[in-house]
């Protein structure tokens, strides 16, 4: 896509710090470095968000996460954990509409802002029946797919 910043990064029209590349994906350091080593994994095929993947593309992209995550973790022994984050849609804080997965290393003493995500718990709004109905409805959709 011509005016997509991440397509431009894939095409080397915009420089980036590549950490991994193959026929299907590119992983590069996020400019914002929410924590040291913050990396983005993107498909080379332009898809805006998770809703535009098919299972085959998802397999080719998401299957790369463990190796890249492990390499990031191993590059600095101070990394004790990692958040994987994939924002989909403006409401979900997506700002670049070429799908990407954030790999955000976590260090013992580093506070990491949750990308504006404010969790509130709502379990009190749902009784067992409502939980079961939601689960059944989602399961039915999957079985129909
Ligand atoms: P989102 O909010 O869509 O989940 O995340 C978009 C991410 O892309 C942000 O963390 C932002 O720092 C990163 N980003 C935006 N433009 C560029 C760029 O030109 N180069 C790199 N390396 N990262 C970018
Ligand atoms: Zn793109």
């Amino acid at each position: 896509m011509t005016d997509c910043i991440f397509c431009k990064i894939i095409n080397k029209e915009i420089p980036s710090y590549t950490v991994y590349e193959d026929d299907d994906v590119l992983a590069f350091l996020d400019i914002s470095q929410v924590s040291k080593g913050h990396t983005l994994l993107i498909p080379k095929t332009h898809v805006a968000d998770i809703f535009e993947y098919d299972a085959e593309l998802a397999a080719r992209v998401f299957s790369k996460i463990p190796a890249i995550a492990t390499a990031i973790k191993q590059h600095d022994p101070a990394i004790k954990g990692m958040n994987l984050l994939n924002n989909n849609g403006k409401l979900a804080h997506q700002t670049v509409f070429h799908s990407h997965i954030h790999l955000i290393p976590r260090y013992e003493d580093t506070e990491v802002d949750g990308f504006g995500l404010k969790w509130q718990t709502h379990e009190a709004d749902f009784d067992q029946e409502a939980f079961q109905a939601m689960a059944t409805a989602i399961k039915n959709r999957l079985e129909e797919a």
Side-chain angles (χ1 to χ4, degrees):
M1 201 184 243
T2 47
D3 60 352
C4 168
I5 195 156
F6 286 177
C7 283
K8 286 182 178 160
I9 286 175
I10 291 164
N11 295 330
K12 316 289 182 209
E13 293 164 41
I14 293 176
S16 71
Y17 300 97
T18 301
V19 305
Y20 177 80
E21 182 166 15
D22 64 22
D23 289 345
D24 299 315
V25 300
L26 178 69
F28 57 99
L29 295 181
D30 188 303
I31 202 77
S32 70
Q33 290 297 289
V34 162
S35 69
K36 190 173 77 65
H38 179 187
T39 296
L40 297 175
L41 172 65
I42 64 175
K44 286 193 170 173
T45 303
H46 180 95
V47 283
D49 54 35
I50 195 68
F51 308 113
E52 292 191 358
Y53 284 76
D54 59 23
E56 195 241 347
L57 180 62
R60 284 193 278 127
V61 175
F62 285 75
S63 62
K64 309 292 162 55
I65 293 174
I68 297 167
T70 301
I72 294 168
K73 185 169 186 290
Q74 286 176 344
H75 102 285
D76 186 342
I79 296 174
K80 303 297 183 207
M82 188 173 293
N83 292 107
L84 301 179
L85 184 69
N86 171 228
N87 297 329
N88 296 281
K90 213 169 168 182
L91 259 176
H93 305 287
Q94 185 175 7
T95 59
V96 176
F97 293 90
H98 179 130
S99 175
H100 50 278
I101 300 120
H102 295 263
L103 296 95
I104 304 172
R106 299 302 297 258
Y107 301 79
E108 199 89 54
D109 300 325
T110 312
E111 278 300 316
V112 174
D113 184 12
F115 268 46
L117 295 174
K118 296 193 181 77
W119 297 116
Q120 282 184 335
T121 56
H122 290 286
E123 63 264 40
D125 296 347
F126 303 98
D127 59 17
Q128 270 190 359
E129 205 180 317
F131 273 108
Q132 189 54 59
M134 282 190 284
T136 303
I138 295 165
K139 194 163 155 264
N140 287 346
R141 289 288 187 292
L142 282 166
E143 282 171 3
E144 283 162 20

